[in-house]
Amino acid sequence: MLEYTRQEISQLSDDRLEDEWKHFMAFSTDRQCLRENVQRMMRKKSPERRVKSGDIPEGGMAITKAGTREILLAKVAGKIYAMDNACGHSGYPLHKGKLDGYVVTCRWHEAKFDVRGGAVLATGRTFKPIERFRVALTDDGTVKIGEKL
């Protein structure tokens, strides 16, 4: 893992910073792929579960299997809904998240799904909006950056 102090980073050459960034991104991507593959394998290898409707409390969740696929069961207003138990972002188990009405929220990325049909209601963590700036051209065609929009 890359471990530098701010002082050390400020003293690295641009080429070295670029190399470190590439190394970090490759490491991060490989690590994320490994986490996703582990999650998929854990779900495939999870034991078969027989679930009775009475086992699921109102507003609660349980999991079962359909072949090798792990299925999330959610009970809302007395009705049981079934959907894939894998978050669409990285395949994390949705049953570890929170059920609020018809909406299950992934514990890891905060993505939200409607249990009635599996629709994505929110893709996950909110990010700060990217700042935008006015653009002007000088008489010679040079791009000049202006105030924030």
Side-chain angles (χ1 to χ4, degrees):
M1 200 62 202
L2 308 174
E3 295 184 27
Y4 291 102
T5 64
R6 285 182 185 255
Q7 180 67 28
E8 291 169 328
I9 290 172
S10 70
Q11 295 173 1
L12 294 176
S13 70
D14 290 348
D15 289 341
R16 179 60 189 219
L17 281 172
E18 182 70 23
D19 287 344
E20 290 292 347
W21 179 249
K22 286 177 184 174
H23 175 76
F24 174 76
M25 291 306 294
F27 172 79
S28 295
T29 300
D30 290 346
R31 189 172 173 203
Q32 182 63 30
C33 288
L34 176 62
R35 279 195 300 259
E36 290 173 18
N37 288 332
V38 166
Q39 289 295 327
R40 282 188 196 94
M41 190 55 60
M42 287 172 59
R43 281 193 310 280
K44 281 183 180 179
K45 290 185 171 191
S46 67
E48 295 284 333
R49 295 177 179 88
R50 291 186 61 195
V51 179
K52 296 181 180 180
S53 62
D55 295 341
I56 309 169
E58 180 61 36
M61 298 182 287
I63 53 173
T64 190
K65 295 275 294 251
T68 60
R69 176 167 255 146
E70 198 171 67
I71 304 296
L72 168 72
L73 300 172
K75 187 187 270 186
V76 183
K79 186 172 179 181
I80 297 174
Y81 298 91
M83 61 187 272
D84 195 339
N85 190 37
C87 176
H89 181 259
S90 293
Y92 288 115
L94 290 172
H95 78 282
K96 301 264 185 175
K98 179 182 171 192
L99 181 64
D100 185 15
Y102 294 102
V103 178
V104 63
T105 302
C106 176
R107 171 178 160 182
W108 286 271
H109 302 101
E110 299 164 3
K112 296 180 185 300
F113 305 90
D114 188 321
V115 297
R116 293 171 289 189
V120 178
L121 302 176
T123 56
R125 298 207 171 140
T126 56
F127 294 93
K128 294 179 186 175
I130 302 296
E131 292 182 345
R132 296 177 48 231
F133 299 86
R134 292 197 185 282
V135 174
L137 297 178
T138 62
D139 291 339
D140 70 355
T142 302
V143 174
K144 181 178 177 185
I145 303 301
E147 64 192 45
K148 270 199 285 186
L149 293 173

